[in-house]
Amino acid sequence: MAEQQTESVISVRHWSDTLFSFSTTRDPGFRFRSGQFTMVGLEAEGRRISRAYSMASAHYDDSLEFFSIKVPNGPLTSRLARIKPGDPILIGRKPTGTLVLDGLTPGRRLFLLATGTGLAPFLSIIRDPETYDQFETVILMHGVRHIGDLAYRDFIAEDLPCHEFLGEQIREHLIYIPTVTREAFATTGRITALLESGAALAARGLAPIAPAQDRVMLCGSPAFLADMTGFLDSRDFVEGSLARPGQYVIEKAFVEK
């Protein structure tokens, strides 16, 4: 019970019928590294229901932000989707996770590859100055089914480049590639297919992905993770960890319930 503390909901945004985000107060003693997750939960019917959620907020923000799907009749998300400002919410005291820069060996380009709400940890990473100190180019690819699922699209493409402190670094080093699979859009197709063909990169003057210069972080659905790890392994990328840094890291605590 002591592993979670009660915070208050500050705001809630419903991006679509299936996606929403919310922000909460943050205990001054809660520290996390960009890309980590913690347990988020609610009291329901006399018990606590919790799931792993990546922090979408920057590690230096005064509040915490989380990005979630809505699962009809889901034990937690069906309740979370109804929260309102002022409601109590449980936040884990011990952040953890493998999507941190220390899990990667040095490289020139960093690929942040996400599907759906797997975008969350990367929203934190792209707002961390250390990311741009370590990599010359940061390529964020976000794959969804429908255009309406591209949550945070305007924030990444329009707001962040104008950020008071990070704007210059973001304009110079961040490349955002949203892609849609079931509607006509500027970039269409699955992330794996786009990387295999190299077309999406070539259109932006970028060389194909390669282990000599590139490092990769993955967060998304189980099918996406399986496809991408197969793709990377076949190209001689080596999976890393905090104990043994490598050329890609994967987050397996993706929230689906």
Side-chain angles (χ1 to χ4, degrees):
M1 299 289 279
E3 293 184 352
Q4 289 182 310
Q5 56 198 24
T6 302
E7 299 290 350
S8 297
V9 175
I10 297 174
S11 64
V12 182
R13 177 168 181 174
H14 294 272
W15 299 95
S16 69
D17 291 340
T18 58
L19 298 169
F20 71 104
S21 58
F22 57 95
S23 64
T24 75
T25 54
R26 175 180 179 177
D27 186 285
F30 182 81
R31 297 284 185 268
F32 71 91
R33 299 169 67 187
S34 302
Q36 288 188 313
F37 67 86
T38 193
M39 301 304 291
V40 175
L42 295 172
E43 293 275 5
E45 300 171 358
R47 63 191 181 99
R48 292 186 172 188
I49 306 173
S50 299
R51 295 287 186 272
Y53 276 84
S54 297
M55 274 69 74
S57 43
H59 70 81
Y60 46 78
D61 285 345
D62 293 333
S63 59
L64 298 174
E65 185 166 353
F66 303 94
F67 182 29
S68 179
I69 56 174
K70 304 175 188 179
V71 179
N73 301 316
L76 179 60
T77 61
S78 62
R79 293 177 170 88
L80 271 181
R82 299 194 298 269
I83 58 174
K84 305 179 300 297
D87 286 351
I89 192 165
L90 302 169
I91 304 295
R93 296 177 183 271
K94 297 181 178 180
T96 187
T98 54
L99 290 180
V100 291
L101 295 179
D102 287 350
L104 298 171
T105 54
R108 288 185 50 241
R109 302 191 302 184
L110 174 63
F111 281 80
L112 305 174
L113 309 179
T115 59
T117 55
L119 176 69
F122 302 147
L123 290 169
S124 181
I125 289 170
I126 62 175
R127 283 184 277 176
D128 190 336
E130 185 181 351
T131 303
Y132 304 102
D133 290 340
Q134 292 194 27
F135 294 94
E136 297 174 18
T137 304
V138 179
I139 301 163
L140 171 61
M141 299 184 73
H142 184 208
V144 298
R145 294 176 179 176
H146 303 284
I147 296 172
D149 297 331
L150 287 172
Y152 294 95
R153 177 184 171 194
D154 292 342
F155 174 74
I156 299 168
E158 300 176 13
D159 296 348
L160 279 184
C162 299
H163 190 280
E164 182 179 4
F165 302 112
L166 290 175
E168 183 176 353
Q169 283 183 304
I170 288 169
R171 290 193 299 272
E172 292 182 0
H173 303 289
L174 178 64
I175 297 172
Y176 172 49
I177 307 178
T179 180
V180 176
T181 59
R182 297 189 181 181
E183 291 183 79
F185 189 64
T187 302
T188 58
R190 294 163 50 251
I191 290 175
T192 311
L194 293 173
L195 292 175
E196 285 176 343
S197 71
L201 300 181
R204 293 163 176 82
L206 301 171
I209 189 169
Q213 64 176 353
D214 298 325
R215 302 297 174 258
V216 183
M217 289 181 164
L218 305 173
C219 191
S221 68
F224 167 72
L225 297 179
D227 286 348
M228 276 305 312
T229 54
F231 169 87
L232 293 172
D233 291 345
S234 71
R235 285 157 178 77
D236 298 322
F237 281 80
V238 177
E239 183 175 359
S241 66
L242 289 175
R244 182 176 294 179
Q247 293 156 322
Y248 76 90
V249 288
I250 179 174
E251 185 55 77
K252 299 174 183 177
F254 185 75
V255 177
E256 288 200 311
K257 299 181 181 180

